[in-house]
Amino acid sequence: MLEESRKRKLMLNTLTSILFQLVTIVVGFILPKLFLQYYGSEINGLISSITQFLGFIALMELGIGAVVQSVLYKPLVSNDTQMVSKVIKSAQSFFNKIAIFYFFYMIVLVIVFPSIEGSFDWSYSGTLIVIIAISSIAQYFFGLSNQLLLIADQKNYIVYSLSICTIILNTLISMILIIKGFDIRIVKFVSMFVLLLKPLFLTIYVKNNYEIDKSIKYDEEPIKQKWNGIAQHVASFVLNNTDVVILTIFSNLKDVSIYTIYKLVVSGLQQVVLSVTAGVQSLFGHMLANEEYDDLRKRFIQLEWVVHTLVTILFSCTGVLIVPFIQVYTRGINDANYVQPYFGLILTFATGMYCLRLPYNIMVLAAGHYKETQLSAVIEMMLNILISTLLVYNYGLIGVSIGTLVAMAYRTIYLSYYLSNNIIYYKFRHFIKHFIVDLVGVILVLKISNLIIISHTDYLSWTISAIKIFILSLVVVGVLNSFFYKNQTSMAIKILKNKIV
């Protein structure tokens, strides 16, 4: 019965996650395109910069979100409502403090940001900052702790469903306002109210479905590893924000706009891979709480092969197709040079390297090994900052992407090595083998694709080219895996046949 419940939740989580990522990818290209068409590259770059600078407040979370999630696994499995209430109360108290700090940070940013950026006057930049910040402040006050509770309880599908609805509604309303010619600040102001719906509904759901005692008292801190997730959190934040911040300070808003458009593509692919692993961390956490180590190792090996194979197929295709897609996407926009082949290729590989770490990182997070792995997170952060800052002067976009690639490669290798001596005692040579097979697959796809003419005249011709490259990648990676991972490949084919039949 427990196993069936797990499978059902995992299936629901995976399906809603995939749907959420597909919706996010599709609508994620719509608004930036409209921003470019109706407002220009500088406004698009301004919005991206403000969003990234506001994102710095996420540093104040200090990684507590991931720690809260791992602490909740055991009391949820044992139905310890008192402990769950204590954890949620402690977490909410912490998030309330962040919300207050966020408010003051927003005021400081309103004053300082126009002098850093320099292209727009104080009133224009300032009002945009306030509008964009308000929905995030609301998340901290009454959304984030409820979301963490649902995810820890393997109810990601509720969070994803609400996200899908708000994203679609926000996109439709924003499209109408943009096309009607409204100022970008009006568009963002209306968007703010739509985004507030998600934390509101999460609050209502948790209140009606969980017995959370908000008045409960505790003498001992229920989140004992509260500060041990700091390094991982800071590293994750830096990876997602450093490039845009460095480009804003040392380059210009046009480069920021170019970066964000390319980032849209690779982030979409990253979200596809993340959707495949949705719900796995909470599943692993529950299995560790129940000490089901043998089954855990089997599931980990399956997840590892799926992620490596999927990443190789998707990102080898992206390496070939990203520039032609950007040419189609930015057709008619001539205020910046969006054709950046080397930058596109390096950024694609950097994001692919990040995705390869997912199985190893999920296991570390599920086991709550934050303190044990925090030094590697600090090293990753410093590599990204130092290399990106040193190279941005001479190499611009390429320089910051090299910094990201080196940092991501380092931590991916470290996490796989860490698991060889901890938690499941995974053999590091398995990762080396996976990586070599991945690399050979990517090189073969890039080389063979030179024989195929990639069209960038319109979306239809690009799609036809993309299908050809995808089939090529599927065949190359499939043949390689049939030699080196025969059992996994056979099992995958068998499952696909059963699903189709």
Side-chain angles (χ1 to χ4, degrees):
M1 189 68 180
L2 177 62
E3 187 64 24
E4 286 300 315
S5 176
R6 281 177 177 170
K7 285 181 179 179
R8 185 178 62 83
K9 286 183 177 180
L10 183 60
M11 181 63 70
L12 273 173
N13 291 338
T14 303
L15 290 175
T16 52
S17 176
I18 291 172
L19 181 59
F20 167 69
Q21 304 304 347
L22 289 174
V23 169
T24 303
I25 291 168
V26 172
V27 303
F29 286 105
I30 295 173
L31 291 183
K33 175 71 172 180
L34 291 174
F35 291 157
L36 290 172
Q37 285 182 329
Y38 288 83
Y39 304 116
S41 292
E42 287 203 335
I43 290 291
N44 185 51
L46 176 67
I47 294 169
S48 299
S49 288
I50 289 173
T51 303
Q52 297 297 339
F53 271 89
L54 283 172
F56 269 109
I57 198 65
L59 282 170
M60 292 302 298
E61 290 178 27
L62 303 177
I64 193 174
V67 179
V68 168
Q69 192 175 323
S70 64
V71 171
L72 281 169
Y73 293 142
K74 192 168 184 178
L76 284 170
V77 168
S78 59
N79 200 28
D80 186 350
T81 55
Q82 280 198 332
M83 188 60 185
V84 170
S85 296
K86 289 177 182 178
V87 172
I88 294 300
K89 184 175 181 179
S90 177
Q92 189 57 58
S93 174
F94 184 82
F95 291 137
N96 287 344
K97 292 172 184 174
I98 293 178
I100 294 169
F101 189 89
Y102 199 138
F103 176 79
F104 288 106
Y105 173 72
M106 177 189 71
I107 294 173
V108 171
L109 200 58
V110 167
I111 297 169
V112 174
F113 182 81
S115 62
I116 295 174
E117 182 275 316
S119 301
F120 296 88
D121 61 40
W122 177 87
S123 62
Y124 195 91
S125 298
T127 50
L128 260 179
I129 290 169
V130 172
I131 291 166
I132 294 172
I134 289 175
S135 60
S136 295
I137 293 174
Q139 277 279 17
Y140 286 116
F141 266 127
F142 56 91
L144 200 50
S145 59
N146 293 325
Q147 180 170 307
L148 290 170
L149 173 61
L150 292 175
I151 293 172
D153 201 21
Q154 292 185 274
K155 292 184 178 179
N156 312 51
Y157 57 91
I158 294 171
V159 178
Y160 289 133
S161 298
L162 286 172
S163 297
I164 290 168
C165 293
T166 53
I167 287 172
I168 292 174
L169 183 60
N170 177 55
T171 302
L172 290 174
I173 293 173
S174 297
M175 285 174 64
I176 293 169
L177 293 174
I178 293 169
I179 293 169
K180 289 289 185 180
F182 282 87
D183 188 281
I184 186 63
R185 290 168 292 183
I186 300 297
V187 176
K188 288 294 180 181
F189 183 73
V190 176
S191 175
M192 173 190 71
F193 287 101
V194 177
L195 296 175
L196 289 174
L197 293 174
K198 178 185 171 182
L200 178 62
F201 280 112
L202 284 174
T203 302
I204 294 170
Y205 181 87
V206 169
K207 184 178 180 180
N208 292 331
N209 291 273
Y210 290 87
E211 296 177 7
I212 304 298
D213 184 2
K214 294 185 178 180
S215 62
I216 197 168
K217 306 289 184 182
Y218 53 86
D219 298 321
E220 186 180 0
E221 172 57 58
I223 310 174
K224 295 179 180 179
Q225 294 194 67
K226 181 180 281 187
W227 310 115
N228 290 344
I230 294 175
Q232 283 82 347
H233 178 72
V234 170
S236 176
F237 174 84
V238 168
L239 285 171
N240 291 323
N241 295 274
T242 295
D243 292 353
V244 168
V245 172
I246 289 175
L247 287 170
T248 301
I249 297 172
F250 298 113
S251 188
N252 55 68
L253 288 179
K254 288 185 178 180
D255 272 355
V256 173
S257 182
I258 293 167
Y259 180 92
T260 54
I261 295 301
Y262 275 83
K263 188 70 174 176
L264 269 176
V265 179
V266 294
S267 293
L269 272 295
Q270 178 179 316
Q271 295 307 315
V272 169
V273 180
L274 285 169
S275 69
V276 174
T277 63
V280 175
Q281 182 180 324
S282 56
L283 173 64
F284 284 0
H286 283 237
M287 293 176 77
L288 283 166
N290 287 326
E291 299 182 355
E292 302 170 40
Y293 298 116
D294 290 338
D295 194 23
L296 179 63
R297 289 188 191 93
K298 291 176 184 177
R299 287 179 181 265
F300 173 80
I301 291 170
Q302 291 170 352
L303 176 67
E304 182 188 32
W305 179 79
V306 168
V307 169
H308 274 267
T309 304
L310 183 62
V311 167
T312 306
I313 293 171
L314 292 179
F315 285 89
S316 61
C317 289
T318 307
V320 176
L321 295 164
I322 188 168
V323 172
F325 175 80
I326 295 297
Q327 287 176 291
V328 177
Y329 185 74
T330 59
R331 185 172 297 281
I333 299 166
N334 302 312
D335 58 353
N337 180 19
Y338 285 89
V339 180
Q340 303 282 344
Y342 294 112
F343 163 66
L345 196 62
I346 297 170
L347 187 65
T348 297
F349 291 156
T351 310
M353 185 60 72
Y354 172 84
C355 290
L356 288 180
R357 80 168 60 171
L358 289 174
Y360 319 105
N361 195 47
I362 285 170
M363 185 62 74
V364 168
L365 295 178
H369 284 214
Y370 301 98
K371 186 176 181 179
E372 295 87 343
T373 58
Q374 64 186 6
L375 179 60
S376 68
V378 173
I379 294 172
E380 176 187 42
M381 175 184 67
M382 295 309 298
L383 283 172
N384 194 16
I385 293 173
L386 290 173
I387 296 173
S388 296
T389 304
L390 287 172
L391 297 182
V392 69
Y393 282 111
N394 293 323
Y395 302 102
L397 289 163
I398 293 174
V400 294
S401 60
I402 290 173
T404 304
L405 174 60
V406 172
M408 289 183 175
Y410 160 74
R411 188 118 195 276
T412 298
I413 294 168
Y414 170 82
L415 287 172
S416 62
Y417 182 77
Y418 180 81
L419 287 186
S420 68
N421 297 303
N422 298 275
I423 309 173
I424 58 171
Y425 300 94
Y426 157 93
K427 293 180 180 178
F428 184 65
R429 60 183 172 84
H430 291 324
F431 170 79
I432 300 297
K433 180 182 175 183
H434 269 297
F435 185 76
I436 292 172
V437 173
D438 297 340
L439 187 61
V440 171
V442 169
I443 292 171
L444 287 174
V445 171
L446 292 177
K447 289 291 184 181
I448 299 172
S449 66
N450 289 328
L451 303 174
I452 301 172
I453 298 174
I454 311 296
S455 177
H456 54 80
T457 55
D458 54 56
Y459 285 110
L460 178 60
S461 59
W462 179 87
T463 301
I464 294 170
S465 299
I467 292 171
K468 293 177 183 177
I469 297 298
F470 178 76
I471 292 171
L472 168 64
S473 181
L474 197 63
V475 170
V476 169
V477 176
V479 170
L480 282 173
N481 276 272
S482 66
F483 278 107
F484 295 101
Y485 296 99
K486 187 176 181 179
N487 292 335
Q488 289 92 328
T489 305
S490 299
M491 182 62 70
I493 293 171
K494 184 179 179 181
I495 292 171
L496 286 173
K497 282 183 178 179
N498 291 336
K499 293 291 183 183
I500 295 171
V501 174

